[in-house]
Amino acid sequence: MADFTHILATRPDFNNEDREWLHHLVADWQVIADLSFADLLLVLQTGDGHYVVAEQCRPSTVMSLRSEDVVGTRISDSLKAEFDAAMESEYIYHSDTLRTRGRAVVCDVYAPVRHQGKTLGLVVRETNMATRESNGRYESESIDAGKELFEMIPRGQFPYVDSVLNQRHNARVSDGFIILSAEGIVGYASPNAISCFRRLGSIDTMQGRYLSEIGTSLIRENDPVPESLPLVLSGKAAVDSELDASRSAVSIRSLPLSDEHGRTGAVVLCRDVTELRRREQELQTKDATISEIHHRVKNNLQAVSALLRLQARRTKLPEVRKELEEAQRRVQTIAVVHEGLSQTADEVVDFDKVISSLLKMSVDLATTQDQHIHITFMGKFGMMPAQDATPLSLVLTELVNNAVEHGFEGREEGNITISVGRGGNNLSVVVEDDGNGYSSESSGGFARSSGSGLGTQIINTFVTNDFGGSVRWEPRREGGTRVVLNMKLRAAQESAA
């Protein structure tokens, strides 16, 4: 079944502005469906002259007439004459016939979608006539407001041209709505809207008062006041804002109402977002705490690294000095990873940035004064969780250190290339060098051990046990050594378990 984009593609006569207008319409028409207690259909004429449903909107304030998805459904030919008449109309077009859908009696009303003098299609409002029986004040005010917004479509006044929406949690009709006059006086406030302002500290009756005065009376000296708040409270512009008072927060959105002569009033939607903001604040505090922990871990590891470096300088035994220097390098590797984690709000790190500085540092420490070893990266590691970044950085620094120590022994220059291939959580890394050859760096298919052989254990343990992967050592075709690592990041393994 065709979707909205494919249906639009059948109309080559629509320019980009026409398509954008229709996208804006369906992005914002939920408020009309909710206020009107009615289903909405956007119907477009295809290139062959037939009518097809391009998009639909179900109300969230009443049971929908359509449980099925009708996007892509062709309108019956028996209704073509009525749709043609609606397309030719410049105003709202009412169907002469009440139709039945299941047990419901339905009234169809058409709003031609006009933009820059062109009729692009029709918005069909399908109203269950049962929703128009025995209505109270709430229903009557809601229906009237929805009708005014619906009638703005043929005049090109809806969707709004200059709408500015910045709130992450926009208010909906069911959250609470207020009807304003052209002067900004409250004509009606739904029970939920009254509750929102009660939460902010308002205790007086809202009806008959300026909403701007109600809002400003709640603001204290140190309360934040967004620049858009006065426009929202007066109903003069299609913008949203947030009103913070009495340790509570309400998201507010203004929808100006207009007729052919100009602005007649506004619908103001409001939603209590106090709990949402409290949770966001808790998350920010948690993120700051985690970053501070990583920062302190990094500082402690650097202190340990410094102590190991001092001890290595004081010892007189070459074997002990070498082991201490390797321990210092490994501690420093972990410290660099935590430094990267301390700069992010979550438990992931830009591994390309971390590993680049780590490996260059590792080469500088392992080379002699006259050696010049260059590292080249191909591909990207991407973002990586902390539980994978630390062991992988250790594995790669051990491999590079092994290449410098054994592969380039007695040589002044050399090149190391690290190629990365990542598909989701599957990671393939190839470390190549143009050093002395395969036999100088490996022994029995493993890294050639020196000293305690801890570097070999680090590579094999992390790759095979932790990552569930494999390590393959082989000679490089052009000379040197090639190490192939195939791994699955542990975050993926845990989510699949």
Side-chain angles (χ1 to χ4, degrees):
M1 185 174 289
D3 60 14
F4 187 31
T5 303
H6 287 98
I7 295 171
L8 284 179
T10 66
R11 293 294 301 269
D13 57 315
F14 285 178
N15 57 37
N16 289 335
E17 291 184 358
D18 295 334
R19 294 187 179 91
E20 190 68 17
W21 186 258
L22 291 173
H23 278 293
H24 280 307
L25 172 65
V26 299
D28 211 19
W29 65 348
Q30 182 68 54
V31 64
I32 299 180
D34 291 345
L35 286 169
S36 305
F37 304 106
D39 288 80
L40 300 180
L41 303 177
L42 175 62
V43 177
L44 301 180
Q45 200 166 16
T46 59
D48 57 6
H50 296 289
Y51 291 97
V52 63
V53 179
E55 194 59 273
Q56 73 180 112
C57 180
R58 299 182 180 91
S60 61
T61 50
V62 73
M63 184 176 294
S64 173
L65 288 168
R66 295 182 177 274
S67 59
E68 75 283 4
D69 191 343
V70 295
V71 174
T73 303
R74 178 174 157 178
I75 300 297
S76 172
D77 290 338
S78 62
L79 297 175
K80 188 175 186 304
E82 183 169 297
F83 276 73
D84 287 339
M87 285 285 288
E88 294 174 2
S89 175
E90 295 184 4
Y91 309 104
I92 296 296
Y93 184 86
H94 295 264
S95 175
D96 296 331
T97 306
L98 293 177
R99 299 181 175 87
T100 58
R101 184 163 291 112
R103 296 182 179 181
V105 178
V106 180
C107 174
D108 291 339
V109 181
Y110 304 89
V113 182
R114 298 185 61 80
H115 182 241
Q116 296 181 344
K118 183 192 302 183
T119 301
L120 305 180
L122 296 170
V123 175
V124 185
R125 187 182 69 201
E126 298 182 321
T127 305
N128 184 348
M129 297 308 294
T131 64
R132 300 301 188 261
E133 299 174 359
S134 304
N135 286 330
R137 178 77 184 277
Y138 175 93
E139 291 79 13
S140 298
E141 295 286 351
S142 179
I143 292 169
D144 288 345
K147 180 182 177 182
E148 290 189 62
L149 284 172
F150 188 72
E151 291 175 348
M152 289 166 58
I153 297 174
R155 295 193 292 267
Q157 297 169 325
F158 189 93
Y160 300 104
V161 177
D162 53 355
S163 177
V164 179
L165 301 178
N166 297 314
Q167 295 294 308
R168 294 186 302 277
H169 306 101
N170 272 315
R172 301 160 296 185
V173 172
S174 57
D175 295 319
F177 69 91
I178 300 169
I179 306 298
L180 299 183
S181 68
E183 295 77 23
I185 298 174
V186 177
Y188 174 77
S190 72
N192 283 348
I194 295 173
S195 296
C196 286
F197 278 81
R198 289 283 188 272
R199 185 82 179 260
L200 294 170
S202 175
I203 58 175
D204 297 326
T205 301
M206 297 180 66
Q207 189 169 337
R209 299 177 60 197
Y210 288 96
L211 184 61
S212 57
E213 290 184 357
I214 298 173
T216 54
S217 67
L218 299 172
I219 300 173
R220 300 295 178 261
E221 183 177 351
N222 296 321
D223 290 338
V225 182
E227 293 182 1
S228 58
L229 185 59
L231 289 173
V232 176
L233 294 177
S234 62
K236 292 181 178 180
V239 295
D240 63 2
S241 188
E242 188 169 297
L243 181 55
D244 295 278
S246 302
R247 297 184 179 180
S248 299
V250 172
S251 175
I252 309 175
R253 181 190 176 189
S254 171
L255 296 100
L257 300 175
S258 304
D259 60 15
E260 59 272 16
H261 304 296
R263 193 170 62 87
T264 61
V267 178
V268 177
L269 306 181
C270 46
R271 178 184 182 185
D272 185 352
V273 293
T274 305
E275 284 302 308
L276 291 172
R277 296 293 177 264
R278 184 184 63 80
R279 292 175 185 176
E280 288 176 355
Q281 184 63 38
E282 287 180 351
L283 287 174
Q284 291 175 0
T285 303
K286 178 182 177 183
D287 291 339
T289 302
I290 292 174
S291 296
E292 179 62 21
I293 290 172
H294 284 301
H295 182 72
R296 293 188 181 187
V297 169
K298 182 261 298 184
N299 289 343
N300 290 338
L301 288 171
Q302 286 181 334
V304 173
S305 177
L307 289 173
L308 290 170
R309 184 168 58 250
L310 289 173
Q311 188 66 42
R313 290 175 180 175
R314 292 173 64 88
T315 187
K316 297 179 180 180
L317 297 174
E319 295 84 359
V320 176
R321 182 184 300 110
K322 184 176 182 180
E323 293 295 338
L324 288 173
E325 287 175 348
E326 289 188 357
Q328 183 264 330
R329 173 178 56 80
R330 288 161 184 152
V331 171
Q332 185 64 26
T333 296
I334 301 173
V336 171
V337 174
H338 279 279
E339 182 177 12
L341 289 169
S342 68
Q343 298 172 3
T344 63
D346 45 20
E347 288 288 284
V348 295
V349 65
D350 185 351
F351 195 72
D352 295 286
K353 183 178 179 180
V354 169
I355 200 63
S356 176
S357 61
L358 267 177
L359 295 187
K360 289 178 181 178
M361 179 188 69
S362 181
V363 169
D364 290 340
L365 291 173
T367 55
T368 62
Q369 187 174 359
D370 297 330
Q371 279 186 315
H372 301 282
I373 309 299
H374 306 282
I375 298 181
T376 303
F377 292 89
M378 299 180 65
K380 297 286 185 181
F381 286 95
M383 303 303 292
M384 195 169 293
Q387 62 177 336
D388 293 325
T390 300
L392 184 57
S393 62
L394 285 169
V395 169
L396 293 177
T397 52
E398 292 298 334
L399 286 172
V400 169
N401 193 67
N402 185 73
V404 173
E405 186 175 350
H406 299 292
F408 298 113
E409 186 176 5
R411 298 182 55 173
E412 293 184 357
E413 292 188 357
N415 296 284
I416 300 174
T417 302
I418 299 176
S419 304
V420 184
R422 180 174 178 179
N425 287 287
N426 294 310
L427 185 66
S428 176
V429 183
V430 179
V431 181
E432 297 177 288
D433 66 70
D434 57 359
N436 296 326
Y438 172 67
S439 59
S440 65
E441 297 181 43
S442 65
S443 177
F446 299 102
R448 181 176 293 277
S449 62
S450 61
S452 65
L454 181 58
T456 303
Q457 295 178 26
I458 288 174
I459 296 171
N460 295 328
T461 299
F462 281 137
V463 174
T464 59
N465 294 351
D466 290 42
F467 289 115
S470 62
V471 185
R472 188 172 74 253
W473 293 73
E474 58 191 29
R476 182 170 172 264
R477 183 176 300 178
E478 298 84 358
T481 305
R482 187 171 187 264
V483 185
V484 181
L485 309 175
N486 290 304
M487 297 169 284
K488 190 176 184 67
L489 300 182
R490 289 183 293 179
Q493 293 176 332
E494 290 179 2
S495 62

